[in-house]
Amino acid sequence: QVQLVESGGGLVQAGGSLRLSCAASGPNFSDYVMAWFRQAPGKQREFVVAIHRNVGRTYYEDSVKGRFTISRDNAKNTVYLQMASLKPEDTAVYYCAAGLVYTNDFENPFHYDYWGQGTQVMVSS
């Protein structure tokens, strides 16, 4: 069983930056693909970014490429999401997810077995 706890959300002006963290408890953190999803009010949950077990392989949703950076520290059982050049359309609850994903279908939330409670990010214009 893996438990995920996100932190770092908040209110920021457009163009600003935030760093989200997701701390995992439980065994074998390094075995999991870690991902961030987000859900805006009235919209479906959407994929943002994933990082493979092997550090360095990352997969970004097109709208965040060049602005968001995912990283993981397997020694600390933590994954990070550095967000820069934030836009009002980035406003959402951001969720951390963990899964033993053995396909390239990283965007599909059904591949992730464990989810955090979410952290709110609000970007004002």
Side-chain angles (χ1 to χ4, degrees):
Q1 187 77 11
V2 175
Q3 292 184 324
L4 304 174
V5 179
E6 302 99 333
S7 61
L11 174 64
V12 65
Q13 288 187 332
S17 299
L18 280 175
R19 187 196 198 202
L20 306 184
S21 298
C22 173
S25 61
N28 305 320
F29 173 78
S30 61
D31 289 344
Y32 291 91
V33 170
M34 300 299 298
W36 290 93
F37 288 75
R38 65 186 180 185
Q39 187 167 17
K43 295 186 177 181
Q44 290 188 332
R45 190 171 299 190
E46 65 174 4
F47 172 80
V48 178
V49 60
I51 186 166
H52 202 264
R53 301 168 191 80
N54 300 316
V55 176
R57 288 182 60 188
T58 55
Y59 308 87
Y60 291 89
E61 192 272 328
D62 286 345
S63 70
V64 306
K65 285 181 180 177
R67 300 189 298 121
F68 289 12
T69 303
I70 190 172
S71 60
R72 66 189 295 165
D73 185 337
N74 289 338
K76 295 183 177 180
N77 282 14
T78 302
V79 63
Y80 305 97
L81 181 63
Q82 181 67 50
M83 305 185 293
S85 302
L86 282 161
K87 304 175 181 180
E89 51 263 44
D90 294 318
T91 294
V93 177
Y94 283 70
Y95 296 90
C96 177
L100 297 173
V101 184
Y102 294 110
T103 74
N104 288 327
D105 191 21
F106 297 104
E107 300 183 11
N108 191 335
F110 293 104
H111 292 308
Y112 297 89
D113 300 306
Y114 304 104
W115 293 81
Q117 82 289 348
T119 185
Q120 177 72 56
V121 171
M122 295 186 66
V123 184
S124 63
S125 57

